[in-house]
Amino acid sequence: MLEIKNIRKSFDGTEVLGGVDIHVDQGDVVAILGPSGSGKTTLLRCINFLETADAGMLVFDGERFEFDSISKKEIAGLRKKTAFVFQNYNLFRNKTALQNVTEGLVVARKMPKQQAVEIGKQALDKVGLSDRYDYYPNQLSGGQQQRVAIARALATNPEIIYFDEPTSALDPELTGEVLAVMRQLADEGMTMLVVTHEMSFARTVSNKVVFMENGAVIESGDSRTFFENPQEARTKEFLRTINESAGLTS
Amino acid sequence: MLEIKNIRKSFDGTEVLGGVDIHVDQGDVVAILGPSGSGKTTLLRCINFLETADAGMLVFDGERFEFDSISKKEIAGLRKKTAFVFQNYNLFRNKTALQNVTEGLVVARKMPKQQAVEIGKQALDKVGLSDRYDYYPNQLSGGQQQRVAIARALATNPEIIYFDEPTSALDPELTGEVLAVMRQLADEGMTMLVVTHEMSFARTVSNKVVFMENGAVIESGDSRTFFENPQEARTKEFLRTINESAGLTS
Amino acid sequence: LTGCSGNNTQQQDNTSAPSAQTAEGDLLAQIRERGDIIVAMEGTWAPWTYHDEDDNLVGYDVEVAQAIAEKLGVEATFVEGEWDGLLAGLSAGRYDIMVNGVDIDPARQETYDFSDPYAYNRTAVITTNQNSDINTLEDLQGKHTANTISSTYAQLAEQYGAEVTGVDDLNQTFELLLSGRIDATLNAEMTYYDYMKAHPEAELKIAVLTEEANRIGIPMRKGEETAALREAINNALAELGEEGVLSELSEKYFGRDISQAS
Amino acid sequence: MSERLWDILVDSFGKIILPGLTMTIPLTVISFTFALILAIAAAMVQFADIKGLKQVARFYIWVVRGTPLLVQLFVIFYGLPNLGIVIDPFPAAVIVFSVNEGAYCAETIRAALESVPAGQLEAGYCAGMSYLQTMRRIILPQAMRTAFPPLSNSLIAMVKDTSLAANITVTEMFMVTQRIVARTYEPLALYIEVGLIYLLFSTVLTKLQRIGEKKLNAHGKQGG
Amino acid sequence: MSERLWDILVDSFGKIILPGLTMTIPLTVISFTFALILAIAAAMVQFADIKGLKQVARFYIWVVRGTPLLVQLFVIFYGLPNLGIVIDPFPAAVIVFSVNEGAYCAETIRAALESVPAGQLEAGYCAGMSYLQTMRRIILPQAMRTAFPPLSNSLIAMVKDTSLAANITVTEMFMVTQRIVARTYEPLALYIEVGLIYLLFSTVLTKLQRIGEKKLNAHGKQGG
Ligand SMILES: Nc1ncnc2c1ncn2[C@@H]1O[C@H](COP(=O)(O)OP(=O)(O)OP(=O)(O)O)[C@@H](O)[C@H]1O
Ligand SMILES: Nc1ncnc2c1ncn2[C@@H]1O[C@H](COP(=O)(O)OP(=O)(O)OP(=O)(O)O)[C@@H](O)[C@H]1O
Ligand SMILES: [Mg+2]
Ligand SMILES: [Mg+2]
């Protein structure tokens, strides 16, 4: 359904992505792992054209696009089929929870107001925020804000949702809230590409894992194999560090 | 060494701390746990007089102070014996790493500049930042900033250090960095009072645990007992939630 | 026009203007004691008071003031500023007298005492050459005029039924006239001649000249304290008139004698 | 205070406040409205980095902020007739004040636009909205909230600057005062009187600013 | 352009720019320096919420921002002598411009102080520093960095406002221009000339502002 081929990106001469390939099938939940600075965020931003990749190709539903020559119109078309959940939510600060969800429907998709409100409420209900329609972002807790962001993504009925570290700004209990919603989406067959540091999520919810370092994919494949039988030395070390810092001594 | 008795604090009529007692001995590492909004931050801020508690008493090195009648001079005196590491670091944004550490020594403790610089460098070396003396906060990663904050606390040679969620803004690998430094301090016998969501830290580094909810201490005591044999129903539930969200399915 | 910084003149350095005393007592005595008289003027109104090409303060009023100072046996110190400021300064006691072609007018006499007139100035109604509608003051009825805000001309125009707007300075009134925004402006006859000296090509004419000339005097604060000063100035003016000095200066700056009531 | 002076002040109060209400305030309000439109445009083309237009905006701001308001009034009112363009005093004043104030406000609004986090625009894109849609519905409303206090300040300052319109025959409050001075020769007292009337106007505007800020802050500061 | 007009403009250039350099610029720089001191004080007492002084500062800002500069010049220069206080023109101008500009800058600096995160002050306390020590070494430097661009704007605006000093007999640039106009009767051309000289001064100041901002931004924006 989504295929990225040989994507490259440099900032001021420093290469951040050095030819990355990603393959996502309908219904896949792909977890992208990797140490800080490995280029995970940059990858997602390039895929959604928030950064312009220097080279590479994107195939979406069989249509091919070159990153360096895609037109504004094509970008706009692709964005209507995808959704993005930011690490720091990026809710519209001047809009209520409900308006955050309906804005894209009414303005970008020209949906009648009433229908948008209905869909918006459904989406908020789904993430457990039926009682927060008219709250502004700054009146919501971090976990609630992130759930509004997910509702905003859901409401547009996208073919795939990109997540950038959806729980890194949350405390353990709030993390639980958000992960539960994501697990439910996975169960319903939503296609998702998720940058995350939550090993438990990668381990139990995603069916594929991509491990990156220094702008390159080190290892990727089936999630069970990745955790139980990693192939690369660097992957093994990464998993060991993570486990150590989680257990500290044990 | 530090004893807090019956501390109370309300904001606009809502009680946030409803009579909390804490007892810290020399060399203790006390972890304060509890769900979001339970009053942990407020407790630390009251202890360090960043908020004025409504009632209660503080005994420090045998000296007694009433929260509602302590003088500015006494506060200044106590602050020179304690240090505070903020959740979001609060490094002085207009000062380099080294200046952040020396500022309090030179300005507040009237230490000769040269001596302060020496001590400052030692403190930064200790947290592994020998190569970052002249960097400004915004040129440092989150983990590095938090370590500068710890160095700033260390340099004043305090009798106790308060930490408010020292790793909550960091990714797992950076969390590892900071926790390693704190573990080292604990091993050297530093007295610490740590609000944290890191169960592994509470479990393995701290010797005492205080579990709070709704502004009251639900359970407290020896850290091993707390984790292996919790007494209260709410504590058990809390530990279960945490474990679940960590494991998600298992 | 030549520079005229006479021996008994001191070109005021405006950054450190000495001030007249506000203390009680006779102003003339104070002036004599100080050895100078502080004279306020605009310095931007040719040919009464203005700066020549070498930036010397010159003009009819400047030389008259110097001559008066000489008669009083003191030096003249000049201070230049904006009109309203000069008035305020006079009231505040910063300046002793104002020599700036000021019309003697009953309303003004409520606030200031005036010397005897030392010049007579007829008011001209100035229009463009093409304008043939305005031939008497009565013709101003319903016409648009503009005058400097601080002058008495606005009142005169209003009196004859003109629609009056104001502007800050003289030049603007000519600009308004030339750009056809107004029908006429009222000003001193002499000012018109001076403007025409600078702009001989300007298509402006004097359409009406008032019969009666305005009397130009020197205002000073009201009251006992200035009584002696006023008398001394009046004596000085009378002497200067008799000696022909005023006529001479008038010829020099205006090209005709306006120091005598005609 | 002498009885005569008192009478002058009482008598002139109505004469001064009338053009204040009928000229100074309308001139200010109309000009400020146009200034805001100009400023938003000039700020937006810079923010959006539109080649050509951005340079035009920079040039406009540079020249207008660099030269005195009085000179601008002169050029428009006394200079343009040389090119055959004759504009009436009130519209000329509105043009000059709008253009002048627009340049200052443009800088304020540009700074406010830049203070809106980049993520807001990106979130707009990801919701499928175009640049213009996101600007109009998300970025500008947030920026205007930030710009509100400095813009209010500019408005208050402008009330007093309109007195320069006297130079192009607009009969506003200060000119009327000067006319009364020309008749009565009481500049100090009358200046203080008109000063107090300006203070009255400013106070009303300041109060309105406070109310506006409260309203905009109704759902807390835009922290999250 | 006629030869005569050209000669007038060439001849007057030096005459105008000289008082610009010897009077307008010094008056601006000196007044602005004092204004900053006043503004910092007025902003600090409000920020620190010092009872009494805070009210004094609010009152000062209210009155000064609410009344025209020209009225303030009149009151100090022509009003105070009635109370026996006689101040020379240049010092009087410095006083009025400092006090006036101080009120506007105080608001700018207060806003900048409020934009420094509360955590910075708390971190200062926790490092054992007193309120004043933290203000001086941590909060004010950060606030001044935020306030730098709007303060630069105020400075540039002030260059032109100093022309009002002509009202209290200070011979600055604009007054000299008016004198030349009085002799030559060429207001438009000369006003444009003096406008360009103001533009020159402003451009230099704008360049200095850019350099200053670059320097202050040397270690990135104060994000973290
Ligand atoms: N706009 C930019 N300009 C220059 N360098 C950049 C920019 N954005 C990212 N980088 C660099 O690119 C590299 C990859 O950054 P990226 O944010 O993609 O990493 P990441 O894998 O998401 O890390 P983290 O887990 O910390 O979020 C880093 O070294 C970063 O410093
Ligand atoms: N300044 C304040 N004004 C009003 N209420 C406040 C204020 N500070 C904190 N509170 C309230 O006090 C309660 C306790 O807050 P506190 O920040 O101490 O919780 P916490 O245990 O530190 O939570 P977290 O784990 O999310 O940091 C919360 O309900 C919070 O909303
Ligand atoms: Mg990232
Ligand atoms: Mg907290």
Side-chain angles (χ1 to χ4, degrees):
Chain A
M1 193 210 122
L2 170 71
E3 191 151 0
I4 309 292
K5 284 190 188 149
N6 194 30
I7 190 169
R8 290 178 177 281
K9 173 73 184 171
S10 300
F11 286 115
D12 314 320
T14 344
E15 187 162 80
V16 172
L17 294 177
V20 171
D21 298 331
I22 304 269
H23 181 93
V24 184
D25 287 322
Q26 178 81 35
D28 269 355
V29 177
V30 180
I32 302 181
L33 308 179
S36 188
S38 53
K40 307 181 295 297
T41 295
T42 308
L43 176 66
L44 276 197
R45 289 173 60 82
C46 286
I47 295 179
N48 210 8
F49 313 102
L50 295 175
E51 304 281 356
T52 311
D54 302 329
M57 184 199 298
L58 177 148
V59 187
F60 196 96
D61 283 346
E63 273 190 281
R64 303 162 60 99
F65 306 93
E66 299 286 337
F67 277 113
D68 58 355
S69 63
I70 188 167
S71 72
K72 280 200 173 174
K73 230 182 121 180
E74 290 169 329
I75 290 179
L78 280 173
R79 279 198 182 129
K80 287 198 177 139
K81 299 190 205 163
T82 64
F84 197 102
V85 177
F86 294 86
Q87 178 171 6
N88 57 348
Y89 337 128
N90 281 344
L91 295 186
F92 302 131
R93 301 186 299 178
N94 56 328
K95 305 277 174 186
T96 62
L98 185 56
Q99 288 168 342
N100 260 280
V101 179
T102 57
E103 194 73 8
L105 302 177
V106 175
V107 177
R109 288 173 183 76
K110 311 278 174 234
M111 189 182 285
K113 184 92 192 277
Q114 214 185 328
Q115 192 190 343
V117 167
E118 217 164 283
I119 292 179
K121 288 185 175 174
Q122 277 170 19
L124 285 171
D125 295 350
K126 187 158 191 170
V127 297
L129 291 174
S130 329
D131 53 346
R132 291 290 186 275
Y133 293 158
D134 298 328
Y135 283 59
Y136 283 89
N138 62 343
Q139 300 170 318
L140 297 171
S141 79
Q144 291 168 336
Q145 289 189 51
Q146 191 60 294
R147 283 184 283 155
V148 173
I150 294 176
R152 181 168 67 175
L154 284 180
T156 61
N157 195 23
E159 301 184 20
I160 184 169
I161 307 183
Y162 308 124
F163 291 87
D164 190 6
E165 304 191 19
T167 60
S168 73
L170 307 174
D171 77 24
E173 286 189 312
L174 298 180
T175 298
E177 273 177 21
V178 171
L179 290 183
V181 169
M182 290 176 67
R183 140 173 315 236
Q184 184 191 339
L185 291 180
D187 291 346
E188 292 170 7
M190 175 61 79
T191 311
M192 299 193 273
L193 188 59
V194 186
V195 169
T196 186
H197 288 304
E198 281 294 326
M199 289 309 133
S200 57
F201 176 82
R203 203 192 296 264
T204 61
V205 181
S206 71
N207 62 326
K208 284 189 196 161
V209 171
V210 175
F211 178 66
M212 288 177 65
E213 179 156 48
N214 290 330
V217 174
I218 304 286
E219 181 164 354
S220 75
D222 177 89
S223 132
R224 175 174 298 254
T225 321
F226 178 87
F227 284 104
E228 291 176 5
N229 189 17
Q231 302 300 310
E232 305 292 324
R234 179 62 184 105
T235 316
K236 288 177 190 161
E237 190 206 328
F238 176 79
L239 289 173
R240 197 169 44 74
T241 323
I242 295 287
N243 287 336
E244 241 173 45
S245 100
L248 261 170
T249 40
S250 63
Chain B
M1 192 210 124
L2 169 72
E3 192 151 359
I4 308 294
K5 284 190 190 147
N6 194 30
I7 189 168
R8 290 178 177 279
K9 172 73 184 171
S10 301
F11 286 113
D12 313 320
T14 344
E15 187 162 81
V16 173
L17 294 178
V20 171
D21 297 333
I22 305 268
H23 182 92
V24 184
D25 286 322
Q26 178 82 37
D28 269 354
V29 177
V30 180
I32 302 181
L33 308 179
S36 188
S38 54
K40 307 181 297 295
T41 296
T42 307
L43 176 66
L44 277 196
R45 289 174 60 83
C46 285
I47 296 179
N48 210 8
F49 313 103
L50 295 176
E51 304 281 357
T52 311
D54 303 328
M57 184 198 298
L58 178 148
V59 187
F60 196 97
D61 284 347
E63 274 189 282
R64 303 162 58 99
F65 306 92
E66 299 286 337
F67 278 112
D68 58 354
S69 63
I70 189 167
S71 72
K72 278 199 176 177
K73 229 182 124 181
E74 291 168 329
I75 290 178
L78 279 173
R79 279 198 182 128
K80 287 199 176 136
K81 299 191 204 162
T82 64
F84 197 102
V85 177
F86 294 85
Q87 178 172 5
N88 57 348
Y89 336 129
N90 280 343
L91 295 185
F92 302 133
R93 301 186 301 176
N94 58 328
K95 304 277 174 186
T96 62
L98 185 57
Q99 287 168 343
N100 259 280
V101 179
T102 57
E103 194 73 9
L105 302 176
V106 175
V107 177
R109 289 173 182 76
K110 310 278 172 233
M111 190 181 285
K113 184 93 192 275
Q114 213 185 328
Q115 192 189 341
V117 167
E118 218 164 283
I119 292 180
K121 287 184 176 175
Q122 277 170 18
L124 285 171
D125 295 350
K126 187 159 192 169
V127 297
L129 290 175
S130 329
D131 53 346
R132 291 288 186 278
Y133 293 160
D134 298 328
Y135 283 58
Y136 283 89
N138 61 342
Q139 299 170 318
L140 297 171
S141 80
Q144 290 167 337
Q145 290 189 51
Q146 191 59 293
R147 282 184 285 155
V148 173
I150 294 176
R152 181 168 69 175
L154 285 179
T156 60
N157 194 24
E159 301 184 20
I160 183 168
I161 307 183
Y162 309 122
F163 291 86
D164 189 5
E165 304 191 21
T167 60
S168 74
L170 307 174
D171 76 25
E173 285 190 314
L174 297 179
T175 298
E177 273 178 21
V178 171
L179 290 182
V181 169
M182 290 176 66
R183 142 173 313 235
Q184 185 191 339
L185 290 180
D187 290 348
E188 291 171 8
M190 175 62 78
T191 310
M192 299 193 275
L193 188 58
V194 185
V195 169
T196 185
H197 289 302
E198 281 293 326
M199 290 307 133
S200 56
F201 176 83
R203 203 192 295 264
T204 60
V205 181
S206 70
N207 63 326
K208 284 189 197 161
V209 171
V210 176
F211 178 66
M212 287 177 66
E213 179 156 48
N214 290 330
V217 174
I218 304 285
E219 179 163 355
S220 76
D222 178 87
S223 133
R224 174 173 300 254
T225 321
F226 178 85
F227 282 104
E228 290 174 7
N229 188 17
Q231 301 300 311
E232 304 292 324
R234 178 63 185 106
T235 316
K236 288 176 191 162
E237 189 207 328
F238 177 78
L239 290 173
R240 196 168 46 74
T241 323
I242 295 287
N243 286 338
E244 241 172 46
S245 100
L248 260 172
T249 41
S250 63
Chain C
L1 306 177
T2 48
C4 64
S5 309
N7 291 340
N8 59 343
T9 306
Q10 180 186 327
Q11 174 93 28
Q12 163 73 30
D13 174 0
N14 281 326
T15 59
S16 59
S19 299
Q21 300 301 306
T22 46
E24 301 294 310
D26 184 66
L27 188 54
L28 180 61
Q30 287 174 19
I31 289 168
R32 289 236 158 88
E33 199 183 326
R34 281 203 311 266
D36 72 350
I37 182 165
I38 299 172
V39 182
M41 49 180 50
E42 287 179 296
T44 54
W45 188 30
W48 299 86
T49 147
Y50 65 104
H51 285 251
D52 68 14
E53 287 173 54
D54 302 316
D55 206 25
N56 296 308
L57 179 62
V58 295
Y60 178 68
D61 281 341
V62 175
E63 295 210 35
V64 169
Q66 279 164 346
I68 292 171
E70 206 169 342
K71 293 279 181 202
L72 298 182
V74 295
E75 295 193 348
T77 298
F78 294 100
V79 177
E80 296 168 68
E82 307 268 333
W83 177 268
D84 282 0
L86 300 181
L87 297 178
L90 207 55
S91 302
R94 279 189 173 270
Y95 320 128
D96 297 318
I97 55 173
M98 177 167 167
V99 186
N100 198 70
V102 185
D103 289 351
I104 301 173
D105 155 288
R108 289 173 174 177
Q109 279 172 313
E110 298 250 1
T111 316
Y112 299 107
D113 281 338
F114 281 79
S115 71
D116 293 337
Y118 66 94
Y120 298 84
N121 197 3
R122 292 202 294 176
T123 299
V125 178
I126 303 162
T127 66
T128 54
N129 284 345
Q130 295 87 339
N131 189 316
S132 52
D133 297 349
I134 300 174
N135 300 304
T136 65
L137 282 173
E138 282 71 24
D139 292 339
L140 286 173
Q141 179 72 39
K143 296 285 192 301
H144 290 275
T145 72
N147 303 282
T148 50
I149 302 167
S150 49
S151 68
T152 46
Y153 301 123
Q155 282 144 267
L156 186 63
E158 238 159 22
Q159 213 175 299
Y160 282 95
E163 272 185 48
V164 180
T165 51
V167 285
D168 255 8
D169 78 40
L170 167 74
N171 275 282
Q172 294 170 8
T173 64
F174 289 121
E175 295 281 344
L176 290 168
L177 203 52
L178 288 167
S179 60
R181 292 181 199 264
I182 56 171
D183 300 308
T185 179
L186 279 61
N187 212 305
E189 178 190 8
M190 291 308 142
T191 304
Y192 166 77
Y193 292 127
D194 196 62
Y195 181 81
M196 291 309 283
K197 242 194 293 182
H199 291 280
E201 78 292 347
E203 306 210 323
L204 296 175
K205 65 172 186 193
I206 292 180
V208 186
L209 210 50
T210 53
E211 279 301 310
E212 215 175 309
N214 291 328
R215 299 171 307 137
I216 308 292
I218 298 172
M220 60 201 82
R221 279 196 300 288
K222 249 186 145 46
E224 277 301 297
E225 47 174 333
T226 60
L229 176 64
R230 190 157 41 109
E231 193 171 338
I233 288 176
N234 284 341
N235 289 339
L237 284 174
E239 283 175 35
L240 291 170
E242 278 160 29
E243 291 163 10
V245 175
L246 291 181
S247 301
E248 206 178 296
L249 289 175
S250 178
E251 286 288 348
K252 175 176 170 187
Y253 284 102
F254 299 108
R256 65 198 71 191
D257 186 4
I258 64 165
S259 67
Q260 311 294 326
S262 49
Chain D
M1 197 186 296
S2 74
E3 199 176 315
R4 172 180 158 271
L5 185 54
W6 181 248
D7 286 345
I8 291 175
L9 289 180
V10 170
D11 184 56
S12 51
F13 182 79
K15 284 185 190 148
I16 295 175
I17 206 164
L18 189 70
L21 295 171
T22 60
M23 187 57 79
T24 301
I25 292 289
L27 180 57
T28 307
V29 170
I30 296 173
S31 302
F32 198 75
T33 307
F34 286 123
L36 277 186
I37 295 169
L38 251 176
I40 288 175
M44 293 261 288
V45 300
Q46 289 179 78
F47 184 72
D49 210 349
I50 302 175
K51 288 270 145 7
L53 281 183
K54 178 178 178 168
Q55 277 67 39
V56 171
R58 291 307 314 158
F59 181 79
Y60 155 60
I61 292 166
W62 170 64
V63 171
V64 169
R65 288 203 311 166
T67 52
L69 188 50
L70 183 56
V71 171
Q72 293 164 16
L73 284 167
F74 258 73
V75 169
I76 298 299
F77 194 73
Y78 299 109
L80 285 187
N82 295 327
L83 308 175
I85 305 167
V86 181
I87 308 169
D88 277 350
F90 189 80
V94 168
I95 290 172
V96 173
F97 286 117
S98 305
V99 168
N100 184 279
E101 194 68 16
Y104 286 91
C105 293
E107 288 292 278
T108 305
I109 294 176
R110 184 173 63 90
L113 284 173
E114 284 168 2
S115 78
V116 176
Q120 294 288 311
L121 185 58
E122 297 184 344
Y125 285 151
C126 291
M129 289 155 76
S130 69
Y131 180 79
L132 278 179
Q133 286 172 334
T134 314
M135 285 306 285
R136 196 164 59 79
R137 306 189 51 106
I138 308 297
I139 312 295
L140 255 183
Q142 294 184 28
M144 290 315 278
R145 200 256 148 275
T146 310
F148 190 80
L151 289 181
S152 307
N153 271 351
S154 298
L155 175 62
I156 291 169
M158 193 175 183
V159 177
K160 292 165 284 159
D161 286 341
T162 51
S163 65
L164 280 180
N167 284 285
I168 60 170
T169 76
V170 174
T171 314
E172 49 60 71
M173 214 155 87
F174 209 85
M175 183 195 232
V176 170
T177 309
Q178 286 182 311
R179 278 192 192 163
I180 300 173
V181 171
R183 183 163 47 77
T184 61
Y185 279 44
E186 291 291 353
L188 183 64
L190 283 159
Y191 275 30
I192 292 174
E193 179 169 32
V194 72
L196 291 177
I197 294 175
Y198 276 111
L199 184 58
L200 181 75
F201 288 172
S202 306
T203 306
V204 172
L205 287 176
T206 309
K207 286 272 174 276
L208 288 177
Q209 177 188 347
R210 292 272 173 280
I211 294 169
E213 278 181 32
K214 274 233 178 79
K215 232 177 144 177
L216 285 167
N217 277 336
H219 36 89
K221 283 197 184 164
Q222 290 174 338
Chain E
M1 198 186 296
S2 74
E3 200 176 314
R4 170 180 161 275
L5 185 54
W6 180 249
D7 286 347
I8 290 174
L9 290 180
V10 171
D11 185 56
S12 51
F13 183 79
K15 284 184 190 151
I16 296 175
I17 207 165
L18 189 71
L21 294 171
T22 61
M23 185 57 76
T24 301
I25 293 289
L27 179 58
T28 307
V29 170
I30 296 173
S31 302
F32 197 75
T33 308
F34 286 123
L36 277 185
I37 295 170
L38 250 176
I40 289 174
M44 294 260 289
V45 299
Q46 289 179 77
F47 184 72
D49 210 349
I50 302 176
K51 288 271 145 2
L53 281 183
K54 178 177 176 170
Q55 277 67 40
V56 171
R58 292 306 315 158
F59 180 79
Y60 154 59
I61 291 167
W62 171 65
V63 171
V64 168
R65 288 203 312 167
T67 52
L69 188 50
L70 184 55
V71 171
Q72 293 164 17
L73 283 166
F74 261 71
V75 169
I76 297 299
F77 194 72
Y78 301 113
L80 285 188
N82 295 326
L83 308 175
I85 305 167
V86 181
I87 308 169
D88 279 350
F90 190 79
V94 168
I95 290 172
V96 173
F97 286 117
S98 306
V99 168
N100 184 278
E101 193 70 15
Y104 286 91
C105 294
E107 287 293 277
T108 305
I109 294 175
R110 183 173 63 91
L113 284 173
E114 284 168 1
S115 78
V116 176
Q120 295 286 310
L121 185 60
E122 297 185 344
Y125 286 151
C126 291
M129 290 155 74
S130 70
Y131 180 79
L132 277 179
Q133 287 171 334
T134 314
M135 284 307 285
R136 197 165 59 78
R137 305 190 50 106
I138 308 295
I139 312 295
L140 253 185
Q142 293 183 29
M144 289 316 276
R145 200 257 146 277
T146 310
F148 190 81
L151 289 180
S152 307
N153 271 352
S154 298
L155 175 62
I156 291 170
M158 193 177 182
V159 177
K160 291 163 286 159
D161 286 341
T162 51
S163 65
L164 280 180
N167 283 285
I168 59 168
T169 76
V170 173
T171 314
E172 49 58 71
M173 215 155 85
F174 209 85
M175 187 191 214
V176 169
T177 309
Q178 285 182 312
R179 284 181 184 168
I180 300 173
V181 170
R183 174 168 50 80
T184 60
Y185 293 91
E186 291 291 353
L188 184 63
L190 283 159
Y191 277 25
I192 292 175
E193 180 169 32
V194 73
L196 291 176
I197 294 174
Y198 275 112
L199 185 57
L200 181 75
F201 288 171
S202 305
T203 306
V204 172
L205 287 176
T206 309
K207 287 269 175 279
L208 289 177
Q209 177 189 348
R210 292 272 174 280
I211 294 169
E213 277 180 34
K214 275 231 179 78
K215 233 175 144 178
L216 285 167
N217 276 336
H219 36 88
K221 284 198 184 166
Q222 291 173 338

